[in-house]
Amino acid sequence: MTYCVAALYHFTRLADYEQLKEPLQAMCDLLSIKGTILLAYEGINGTIAGTDRAIADLMTFLRADSRLVDLEHKESRAEDMPFYRMKVRLKREIVTMGVDGVDPNNVVGTYVDPKDWNELITDPDVILIDTRNDYEVEIGTFKGALNPDTQTFRDFPQWVENNRKTLNKPKVAMFCTGGIRCEKASSFMKQNGFDDVYHLKGGILKYLETQPKDESLWEGDCFVFDSRVSVGHGLTEGPHILCHACRRPLVPADKQRPQYEDGVSCHKCADETSDDAKTRFRERQKQIALSAKRGEKHMGSL
């Protein structure tokens, strides 16, 4: 059995988003769906997994709300259930930029279908920006893309302000994993003096799903926020594993480095954590191992 992994988001006015939490959680639990869904005044965002029928039933449930009738989602496959629990959370933003007044419901850039993306980003008048975080960009990005080297999406507005003089081409094109960050980033750019702004519809995931590998301008793999860690062309699972101490992606060979200790450290974070923290991580890893022997899932394994 394989699982359907669905990435979904939609910017829309959800004035009663707090009242939507419990019915949505109950429906997900009824369908044995796991993952995370965020609700906020500005819309909905989430990644979930379940059987094909369960995901289809949940999408029908969500789209029965007239505000979510145009909700789109992207599907991929996982050999194992990539999540261990279901969480519906209330948030101030469904993707946190931290800038008041940035609202894709009011103003947004031009959507670009994956089939038209290569033509756009090879235009010499286009600046291409990867709106994801540094650890995501590290394992894959589009050829020629600028890396803002941000640790969180909150850092993006300041990066734009600091680099205005270099963002001096007529057109700006942006992309992210599933489309939500670059859609909000396009709204921010439009509200801050950038007129000709584009973003990849459906994000990297839709591009990798639909575009032929031999014509692709994508280099590497795409980080995903579940136990698969990364996917490649055709949305097949990539080779990466996750350091459970710092949550950064690693390749299997990194486990042979002297700084690697399962659940405790890797070469990227070994010098970032104290001895006390490493002691706590070792105890957590011990409890995870004991739970595995009993055939149980330990919460610390997430």
Side-chain angles (χ1 to χ4, degrees):
M1 174 182 176
T2 62
Y3 292 89
C4 178
V5 183
L8 60 97
Y9 83 91
H10 188 57
F11 284 103
T12 187
R13 299 270 192 269
L14 295 178
D16 60 340
Y17 72 96
E18 294 177 339
Q19 284 69 54
L20 301 178
K21 178 182 177 180
E22 289 188 10
L24 181 53
Q25 179 75 53
M27 180 58 71
C28 290
D29 292 342
L30 178 65
L31 296 171
S32 298
I33 287 173
K34 297 180 181 179
T36 301
I37 294 177
L38 307 180
L39 296 171
Y41 177 80
E42 67 180 8
I44 185 171
N45 176 29
T47 305
I48 53 176
T51 64
D52 290 347
R53 178 60 184 270
I55 296 300
D57 286 349
L58 184 66
M59 293 304 158
T60 299
F61 172 79
L62 288 170
R63 292 177 182 131
D65 187 321
S66 61
R67 298 165 298 181
L68 300 176
V69 68
D70 294 325
L71 171 68
E72 294 186 10
H73 74 284
K74 295 167 288 296
E75 295 183 356
S76 56
R77 311 301 301 181
E79 292 296 322
D80 301 306
M81 170 55 79
F83 305 108
Y84 300 115
R85 58 166 83 100
M86 183 66 222
K87 298 170 287 188
V88 178
R89 293 178 170 174
L90 302 178
K91 304 284 284 186
R92 185 172 180 270
E93 301 175 75
I94 56 173
V95 57
T96 303
M97 176 178 275
V99 178
D100 291 336
V102 176
D103 187 353
N105 291 302
N106 291 331
V107 60
V108 73
T110 301
Y111 299 92
V112 180
D113 287 331
K115 64 182 177 61
D116 301 317
W117 186 246
N118 286 0
E119 181 179 359
L120 173 67
I121 67 175
T122 53
D123 182 338
D125 287 335
V126 169
I127 288 179
L128 180 62
I129 303 173
D130 193 330
T131 65
R132 300 172 304 151
N133 299 325
D134 50 5
Y135 61 91
E136 299 172 79
V137 179
E138 180 183 339
I139 68 170
T141 191
F142 280 106
K143 183 177 181 180
L146 291 180
N147 175 13
D149 198 28
T150 54
Q151 293 186 333
T152 75
F153 191 47
R154 284 180 174 273
D155 299 333
F156 182 77
Q158 189 60 54
W159 177 82
V160 172
E161 187 61 32
N162 293 344
N163 290 274
R164 277 184 175 274
K165 291 183 179 179
T166 60
L167 302 176
N168 56 4
K169 292 186 178 181
K171 304 174 186 177
V172 175
M174 295 179 291
F175 62 93
C176 60
T177 306
I180 186 170
R181 276 179 284 185
C182 55
E183 183 166 343
K184 195 158 192 178
S186 77
S187 180
F188 172 81
M189 298 291 274
K190 293 280 286 185
Q191 291 179 333
N192 284 271
F194 296 86
D195 297 323
D196 217 355
V197 181
Y198 303 82
H199 53 105
L200 177 59
K201 187 175 183 180
I204 301 161
L205 294 179
K206 183 58 69 174
Y207 182 93
L208 293 179
E209 176 189 356
T210 60
Q211 301 310 296
K213 185 175 181 179
D214 59 358
E215 298 176 11
S216 175
L217 297 181
W218 176 262
E219 298 177 333
D221 291 288
C222 177
F223 183 88
V224 290
F225 294 88
D226 59 60
S227 65
R228 295 172 299 169
V229 185
S230 69
V231 296
H233 281 90
L235 301 184
T236 56
E237 290 191 37
H240 294 85
I241 58 176
L242 203 66
C243 172
H244 290 287
C246 67
R247 315 300 293 178
R248 295 185 180 117
L250 309 172
V251 294
D254 289 333
K255 295 177 71 173
Q256 306 306 314
R257 293 174 181 261
Q259 301 97 327
Y260 182 82
E261 184 177 348
D262 193 21
V264 178
S265 65
C266 70
H267 68 284
K268 299 177 181 180
C269 69
D271 295 331
E272 296 177 353
T273 54
S274 66
D275 289 341
D276 287 345
K278 289 183 175 66
T279 298
R280 293 197 304 273
F281 294 160
R282 289 187 184 101
E283 180 59 30
R284 178 189 63 186
Q285 198 63 23
K286 178 181 177 181
Q287 295 304 317
I288 291 171
L290 290 172
S291 295
K293 285 183 178 180
R294 296 192 296 265
E296 301 171 353
K297 295 288 187 182
H298 188 274
M299 292 304 180
S301 64
L302 300 183

